[in-house]
Amino acid sequence: MEQKPSIPKGTRDFNPEQVAKRNYIFSTIKTCFETFGFQPIETPSFENSETLMGKYGEEGDRLIFKILNSGDFLSKVNNQLYADKNSNKITSSISEKALRYDLTVPFARYVVQHQNEIEFPFKRYQMQPVWRADRPQKGRFREFYQCDADVVGSESLWQEVEFVQLYDTVFDALGLKGTTIKINNRKILSGIAEVIGASDKLIDFTVALDKLDKIGEEKVKEEMLGKGIPQNGIDKLQPLFSLTGGFDSQIESLKQILSTSKEGKKGIEELQFINNAIQSLGLKTSTLQLDVTLARGLNYYTGAIFEVSAPEGVKMGSIGGGGRYADLTGIFGLKNVSGVGISFGLDRIYLVLEELGLFPETITKSTEVLFINFGDKEALFSLKAIKSLREAGVNSELYPDRITNGKHMKKQMNYANKRNIPFVVLVGEEEMNNSLYTLKDMKSGEQKKVSLDVLISSVK
RNA sequence: GUGGUUGUAGCUCAGCUGGUUAGAGCGUCGGUUUGUGGUACCGAAAGUCGCCGGUUCGAACCCGGUCUUCCACCCCA
């Protein structure tokens, strides 16, 4: 029975051109990572569930792809749980593995597990797919690649400074100008929550604040009130809503708001340190912007928080994110190892580069010379020439099927044409007898009979 | 998880209020051109109308379900 093939929701096939373009992004990022001193590691596509569960908040747990146990998985399920039909509780007994949700948590696991082999501070990068059981939409897939660079084992703020530079370097190398690197600090958010008497509602508070540019001041206040944040606290936020201007003037306003919060003041100090360094070092094409409403990845970040948005005019969610996590390895039993890292969203960067027409033309080139196949004798003769061409570093191939009854020449020429192969070589009986090759330039249509040496030098 | 949206030939899409053999362009294949591609002309093949069920004398069209696409919310790369 024939059935129409399909792939799961939120996944994609990539054709040769798309793969070439993706590889271009991969290799650009990889080169930048390595110039900054990062080394690659890889981790499995799936982890033990307990490694991942509970690290990304309640929402995150829901979006983790769980892998069903093999064998008779129902036999282990507690009868009571089964009768209750409680999906959450049953999940842990029928699924012990899950697809990785990001690269940061598996990395933390890796660090703890290999702590004795690692030389700290450890700078690693990782470019692998991650999976989320999300509903697809623009720039959002269920399988996508992240490119992460992290440093663990150092509390130095110079790392944050370097990561800002790394973002700038990568986007510059990709020709993507005008990205905004937004920065905030978890300590500032905690400080504000403390000042307004909502320390226990930090997450509700930041989630609401994060929506400021989307739903506006009034709606944000409504949401905060609805979450049980006291009115007099919200009133204290007033200077926050009117926070405008450059980095320095925003810092001044924050100093006023956070004058009574020790943690908040620490956050301000850190931001200032990073900003001062960046101002002094300069950025190529990106802009560093303080955004107090930035509240992403709250689950394990403790210091700086980064998010990168595409150049103005491109409608796309963030194309990168990251931050400082003081104790991510602590949950796996290794205390006092601070980490900081950033991530690039490959698939979204692809969409942005495509939309702005920033992919270089040269990256899709494949075969340079195609030999027409006139028959077995000619093919063997051609393959000798092809061998020399390949040794000279020229991508060459022989058309596999031979011309029969003098037909199919057209088909072979057409093949070269469709694949944008710039040169075609014809070797028939006449050429073989004279050890010559008819070289045709597909662009100009011109052709000439040449020796092997001339052939190689003409196409090189 | 919530709300909306989409699905007809390989691709992009027509198909009027349900009514014979479901169309076009592009592409594919063949020919004009048995050692020459891109252009032109001629011709051909190709569709379980996403899937399952229902209403009807009759369904691509109406109804229900399901999968898929895209979008917004939630959240996030």
PDB file of all heavy atoms in Angstrom, chain A residues 54 103 250 277 293:
ATOM      1  N   GLY A  54      12.720  19.944  35.479  1.00  0.00           N
ATOM      2  CA  GLY A  54      12.781  20.888  36.577  1.00  0.00           C
ATOM      3  C   GLY A  54      13.822  21.976  36.406  1.00  0.00           C
ATOM      4  O   GLY A  54      13.969  22.833  37.271  1.00  0.00           O
ATOM      5  N   LEU A 103      21.447  23.400  25.255  1.00  0.00           N
ATOM      6  CA  LEU A 103      22.788  22.852  25.375  1.00  0.00           C
ATOM      7  C   LEU A 103      23.439  23.212  26.706  1.00  0.00           C
ATOM      8  O   LEU A 103      24.485  22.670  27.062  1.00  0.00           O
ATOM      9  CB  LEU A 103      23.673  23.368  24.229  1.00  0.00           C
ATOM     10  CG  LEU A 103      23.195  23.018  22.812  1.00  0.00           C
ATOM     11  CD1 LEU A 103      24.117  23.622  21.770  1.00  0.00           C
ATOM     12  CD2 LEU A 103      23.108  21.506  22.625  1.00  0.00           C
ATOM     13  N   GLN A 250      20.085  55.629  32.079  1.00  0.00           N
ATOM     14  CA  GLN A 250      19.252  54.567  32.664  1.00  0.00           C
ATOM     15  C   GLN A 250      19.868  54.081  33.973  1.00  0.00           C
ATOM     16  O   GLN A 250      19.161  53.811  34.943  1.00  0.00           O
ATOM     17  CB  GLN A 250      19.132  53.389  31.700  1.00  0.00           C
ATOM     18  CG  GLN A 250      18.240  53.655  30.513  1.00  0.00           C
ATOM     19  CD  GLN A 250      17.804  52.356  29.846  1.00  0.00           C
ATOM     20  OE1 GLN A 250      17.205  51.481  30.472  1.00  0.00           O
ATOM     21  NE2 GLN A 250      18.103  52.215  28.574  1.00  0.00           N
ATOM     22  N   ALA A 277      33.750  48.797  29.859  1.00  0.00           N
ATOM     23  CA  ALA A 277      34.755  48.061  29.089  1.00  0.00           C
ATOM     24  C   ALA A 277      34.407  48.076  27.606  1.00  0.00           C
ATOM     25  O   ALA A 277      35.269  48.304  26.749  1.00  0.00           O
ATOM     26  CB  ALA A 277      34.852  46.628  29.596  1.00  0.00           C
ATOM     27  N   THR A 293      13.682  45.615  31.022  1.00  0.00           N
ATOM     28  CA  THR A 293      12.534  44.711  30.928  1.00  0.00           C
ATOM     29  C   THR A 293      12.955  43.318  30.460  1.00  0.00           C
ATOM     30  O   THR A 293      12.145  42.400  30.440  1.00  0.00           O
ATOM     31  CB  THR A 293      11.476  45.257  29.939  1.00  0.00           C
ATOM     32  OG1 THR A 293      12.013  45.233  28.610  1.00  0.00           O
ATOM     33  CG2 THR A 293      11.078  46.669  30.303  1.00  0.00           C
TER      34      THR A 293
END
